Amino acid sequence: MAPRGTRQDGTPVTAMTGLGTFAETMTVDEAALVKVETDLPDEQLALIGCGVTTGVGAALNTARIEPGSSVAVIGCGGVGQAVIQGARIAGAARIFAVDPVELKRKTAEQLGATDLVDPAQGDPVEQVQALTGGRGADYAFEVIGLPETILQAWNTARRGGTVVVVGAPRMDATVTFPAFPLFYDEKRLLGCIYGSAQVKRDFHRFIALTETGRLDLGSMVSRRVSLDEVNDAFRAMQAGEVIRSVIV
């Protein structure tokens, strides 16, 4: 989309993915809007606009988790919590929440995780292997965007399992897989952008799941901040103090 705003010096103001952010008002192209009819509060709808669609969509659209499966989620921030909820909604029997931050593990348990894995207590791959009788998880989601945790997700999945990369890596990041296991273990490695979503369909689905109590968005809002507190909100996110801060 062509930039529509300019700075005082005349240079154009651009916005990522055609949207604006951290402003009291925005002008948005109609192609970036989805009309909904719901009584859900704006702070919950804001989560659907990005992180929830990415995470729940990764579970339901990208991986298409089967009922009774085992699921490992590496990285349990806002998007990771949404993956956990998507796995729960899909009917996963066991959900392993892997994160070094206690708040995130506790929230994951509240939102559907059955097993909590603290990497500080030992190799998380070995912990998940032990919890699954040496088999590994049917599905492993990487929700951080680091080469080392992408490889960790690969090793966490069982033979024939599915690995989904949800986290956004750096543009110059690379991951190296041993060639023979890549062939022999027959795992599926899937990329996931925005939960493989079709927003005109999925926004309404996620609203319906929330309205009927199957998707819990309220528990994902840790803090409500004003616009001038946005820098502290970033600091709290990076420090692992919140699941999601919402500007109100």
Side-chain angles (χ1 to χ4, degrees), residues 14 31 35 37 46 108 115 164 196 215 241-242 246:
T14 58
K35 183 179 179 180
E37 295 182 6
D115 300 83
V164 183
S196 306
L215 179 59
E241 298 174 1
V242 296
V246 177

Side-chain angles (χ1 to χ4, degrees), residues 2-246:
R4 300 179 61 181
T6 57
R7 300 182 179 88
Q8 290 182 344
D9 62 4
T11 58
V13 176
T14 58
M16 181 179 177
T17 65
L19 301 176
T21 185
F22 307 144
E24 293 180 356
T25 60
M26 294 188 296
T27 301
V28 181
D29 191 281
E30 63 181 348
L33 298 175
V34 177
K35 183 179 179 180
V36 299
E37 295 182 6
T38 179
D39 293 328
L40 291 178
D42 289 347
E43 65 183 39
Q44 295 188 24
L45 293 176
L47 299 185
I48 290 177
C50 186
V52 166
T53 295
T54 299
V56 178
L60 301 183
N61 298 331
T62 310
R64 299 183 181 181
I65 293 172
E66 295 184 356
S69 301
S70 59
V71 176
V73 180
I74 299 173
C76 299
V79 179
Q81 301 292 344
V83 175
I84 288 167
Q85 293 211 62
R88 188 197 72 233
I89 291 166
R94 296 187 74 177
I95 303 172
F96 308 101
V98 183
D99 201 288
V101 179
E102 184 179 12
L103 167 67
K104 296 179 181 180
R105 295 196 305 273
K106 287 185 175 180
T107 303
E109 185 175 31
Q110 179 182 347
L111 296 178
T114 59
D115 300 83
L116 309 181
V117 176
D118 181 359
Q121 300 302 314
D123 184 351
V125 175
E126 294 180 358
Q127 291 190 61
V128 173
Q129 289 282 343
L131 290 166
T132 57
R135 184 170 182 265
D138 296 317
Y139 301 87
F141 293 82
E142 196 279 351
V143 203
I144 300 171
L146 297 175
E148 54 266 37
T149 45
I150 292 172
L151 188 58
Q152 189 178 96
W154 175 267
N155 291 328
T156 299
R158 65 167 174 82
R159 289 187 63 187
T162 298
V163 182
V164 183
V165 179
V166 185
R170 291 169 54 97
M171 293 290 289
D172 59 352
T174 60
V175 183
T176 301
F177 295 93
F180 187 77
L182 187 64
F183 150 75
Y184 188 72
D185 287 345
E186 204 175 345
K187 298 180 185 181
R188 293 193 306 155
L189 179 61
L190 304 177
C192 173
I193 179 73
Y194 201 35
S196 306
Q198 208 299 326
V199 295
K200 293 186 183 299
R201 174 199 65 190
D202 288 338
F203 280 14
H204 295 286
R205 293 171 67 198
F206 299 152
I207 287 171
L209 287 168
T210 305
E211 290 176 333
T212 55
R214 298 183 65 196
L215 179 59
D216 182 359
L217 301 184
S219 296
M220 296 176 63
V221 180
S222 304
R223 291 180 59 192
R224 296 159 183 82
V225 301
S226 61
L227 187 58
D228 60 2
E229 295 176 300
V230 65
N231 288 331
D232 186 60
F234 272 112
R235 181 207 57 77
M237 179 182 66
Q238 293 170 342
E241 298 174 1
V242 296
I243 302 302
R244 274 289 183 262
S245 295
V246 177

